[in-house]
């Protein structure tokens, strides 16, 4: 297969290595010309995935037209930039599978990538769209450590094609038909990861973490089902699986952002020094807006937004969360 990857960041570059090892022809697109030239010349992505050699046969380019004529086009740019990238692409060869790796919600539209693809690409056939999500921290996958993830498409044939094309002995893919569920699970768990990081930063202990992951999952299910996802998706790899990883891994960027805020830094201070995207920060607002629009209770997401955007201290947000009116476990 010919695989074109839009985005040569941490995950896009890792996915390029995965696709190359699976025997596919790979084109890796990066929007920043200087960065693309550095990667192409040194055969290493020092900025986003240091320490991994990029084989000569992976074409690194800034020419987006080289991505149009592929069998699988992979979306691996931050959620807030996807619309602009797809708009620049304009059209895609009919039959090309569009595979989103993105875990985020666009702030202004409150849409996930399947809807953005529909709006920006013409013609667009939803039957060629698939999303891959799960506990897939990029450096672990790049170094060959084992994991599993979910590939969802409303078209079972497309889901199975992606599953077969990218599964590897250390990368086991399961298929699903729940595109909406997998997209929202991947995005919403990043918000809970920020809260988990705040727990770590405030040294609240393992009981607090266990309680947070459990109540965070309840929030994912409550909002995710309202938005059209299936409950079993949120308790699966793209939901609970990813939630456990991202709330505990030292390499989870969203958790690390939360941890630094929990230790007393402001969001601006943390973001100022970051090279890679922490999707949860932008998705938190979108998740809160979606919950308000659909009248769904998401107290952890609300607390995260209060800390990130309303200058509430993590301790105050925690105290308010713990002292809400008592209720039955749902
Ligand atoms: N890193 C992971 O472990 C991981 C795992 C699974 C999913 N994801 C998801 O994959 C997506 C990409 O994440 P990442 O970790 O590769 O991000 P990253 O920050 O490492 O890289 C982002 C890439 O997008 C490019 N970019 C930045 N601004 C852009 C713009 N305006 N237009 C076009 N390109 C732009 C950067 O140059 C870079 O190539 C996110 O939605 C993330 O949640 C990441």
């Amino acid at each position: 297969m010919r695989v074109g990857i839009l985005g040569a960041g941490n995950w896009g570059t890792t996915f390029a290595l995965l696709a190359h090892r699976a025997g596919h022809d790979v084109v890796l697109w990066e929007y920043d010309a200087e960065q693309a030239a550095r990667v192409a010349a040194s055969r290493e992505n020092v900025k986003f995935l240091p320490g991994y050699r990029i084989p000569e046969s992976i074409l690194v380019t800034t020419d987006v037209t080289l991505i149009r004529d592929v069998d699988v086009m992979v979306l691996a740019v931050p959620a807030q930039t996807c619309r602009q990238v797809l708009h620049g692409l304009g059209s895609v060869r009919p039959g090309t599978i569009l595979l989103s790796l993105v875990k985020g919600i666009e702030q202004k539209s409150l849409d996930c990538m399947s809807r953005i693809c529909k709006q920006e690409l013409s013609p667009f056939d939803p039957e060629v769209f698939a999303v891959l999500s799960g506990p897939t921290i990029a450096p672990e996958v790049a170094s060959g450590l084992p994991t599993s993830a979910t590939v969802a498409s409303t078209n079972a044939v497309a889901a199975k094609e992606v599953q077969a094309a990218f599964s590897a002995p250390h990368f086991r893919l399961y298929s699903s038909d729940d595109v909406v569920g997998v997209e929202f699970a991947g995005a919403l768990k990043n918000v809970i990861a920020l809260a988990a990081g705040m727990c770590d930063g405030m040294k609240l202990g393992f009981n607090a973490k266990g309680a947070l992951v459990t109540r965070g999952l309840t929030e994912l299910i409550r909002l995710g089902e309202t938005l059209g996802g299936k409950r079993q998706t949120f308790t699966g790899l793209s939901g609970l699986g990813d939630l456990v990883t991202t709330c505990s891994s030292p390499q989870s960027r969203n958790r690390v952002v939360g941890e630094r805020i929990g230790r007393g830094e402001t969001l601006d201070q943390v973001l100022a020094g970051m090279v890679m995207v922490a999707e949860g920060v932008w998705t938190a607002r979108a998740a809160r807006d979606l919950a308000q629009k659909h009248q769904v209770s998401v107290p952890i997401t609300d607390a995260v937004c209060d800390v990130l955007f309303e200058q509430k201290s993590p301790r105050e947000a925690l105290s308010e969360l713990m002292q809400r009116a008592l209720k039955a476990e749902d």
Side-chain angles (χ1 to χ4, degrees):
M1 276 186 171
R2 195 166 160 79
V3 178
I5 301 175
L6 291 163
N10 193 236
W11 190 216
T13 307
T14 298
F15 207 79
L17 296 177
L18 197 70
H20 176 265
R21 287 175 200 154
H24 305 302
D25 286 339
V26 181
V27 184
L28 183 58
W29 175 84
E30 164 62 52
Y31 90 119
D32 175 343
E34 282 179 21
Q35 164 66 2
R38 272 193 299 272
V39 175
S42 67
R43 306 314 298 179
E44 185 185 351
N45 192 340
V46 175
K47 184 172 177 188
F48 291 110
L49 189 73
Y52 294 88
R53 207 192 117 62
I54 299 169
E56 299 287 341
S57 52
I58 295 181
L59 176 63
V60 181
T61 183
T62 51
D63 182 357
V64 84
T65 61
L66 295 178
I67 301 278
R68 283 198 194 131
D69 186 26
V70 291
D71 301 302
V72 182
M73 182 188 295
V74 180
L75 263 180
V77 288
Q80 309 309 319
T81 72
C82 263
R83 187 180 293 281
Q84 171 203 333
V85 170
L86 289 169
H87 191 76
L89 193 69
S91 64
V92 181
R93 194 185 72 187
T96 294
I97 293 176
L98 266 170
L99 175 62
S100 171
L101 308 181
V102 177
K103 294 177 179 173
I105 304 171
E106 191 185 46
Q107 264 189 358
K108 62 174 187 268
S109 65
L110 308 184
D111 285 336
C112 284
M113 301 314 112
S114 52
R115 290 185 63 133
I116 295 176
C117 285
K118 191 172 167 196
Q119 291 153 12
E120 294 301 328
L121 293 174
S122 139
F124 176 71
D125 174 4
E127 294 285 289
V128 299
F129 183 86
V131 52
L132 187 158
S133 195
T136 56
I137 297 268
E140 290 190 18
V141 176
S143 62
L145 291 171
T147 193
S148 292
T150 305
V151 181
S153 175
T154 52
N155 174 1
V157 176
K160 290 214 158 64
E161 263 186 64
V162 173
Q163 186 181 28
F166 300 106
S167 285
H170 71 288
F171 196 68
R172 182 173 168 80
L173 294 173
Y174 290 81
S175 62
S176 158
D177 61 1
D178 187 12
V179 169
V180 173
V182 171
E183 286 197 297
F184 278 112
L188 297 175
K189 64 89 198 173
N190 281 333
V191 183
I192 308 302
L194 285 160
M198 291 178 201
C199 280
D200 291 339
M202 290 187 281
K203 298 193 189 309
L204 301 185
F206 293 104
N207 294 336
K209 185 68 78 66
L212 177 80
V213 168
T214 310
R215 296 310 298 169
L217 178 63
T218 308
E219 248 177 68
L220 253 66
I221 293 172
R222 219 187 274 139
L223 182 55
E225 277 194 310
T226 305
L227 296 169
K230 293 181 183 169
R231 188 183 184 91
Q232 74 198 56
T233 300
F234 299 99
T235 56
L237 289 163
S238 59
L240 179 60
D242 205 358
L243 195 60
V244 169
T245 295
T246 201
C247 287
S248 49
S249 168
Q251 289 178 302
S252 159
R253 280 173 232 160
N254 293 288
R255 198 205 58 77
V256 168
V257 168
E259 183 172 11
R260 290 177 59 182
I261 290 172
R263 279 200 236 115
E265 290 181 70
T266 65
L267 179 62
D268 287 346
Q269 284 168 334
V270 177
L271 293 187
M274 277 189 80
V275 173
M276 297 187 226
V277 68
E279 290 278 28
V281 173
W282 318 114
T283 291
R285 248 196 238 273
R288 184 191 54 187
D289 291 353
L290 276 170
Q292 277 172 1
K293 187 170 158 191
H294 294 277
Q295 298 183 332
V296 176
S297 162
V298 286
I300 300 170
T301 301
D302 287 339
V304 167
C305 286
D306 286 347
V307 173
L308 294 182
F309 311 119
E310 317 291 344
Q311 279 76 48
K312 190 172 278 181
S313 79
R315 292 253 167 227
E316 200 185 340
L318 170 70
S319 156
E320 285 178 11
L321 256 184
M322 295 297 285
Q323 293 179 71
R324 284 171 303 137
L326 298 174
K327 54 179 279 203
E329 188 175 22
D330 56 1

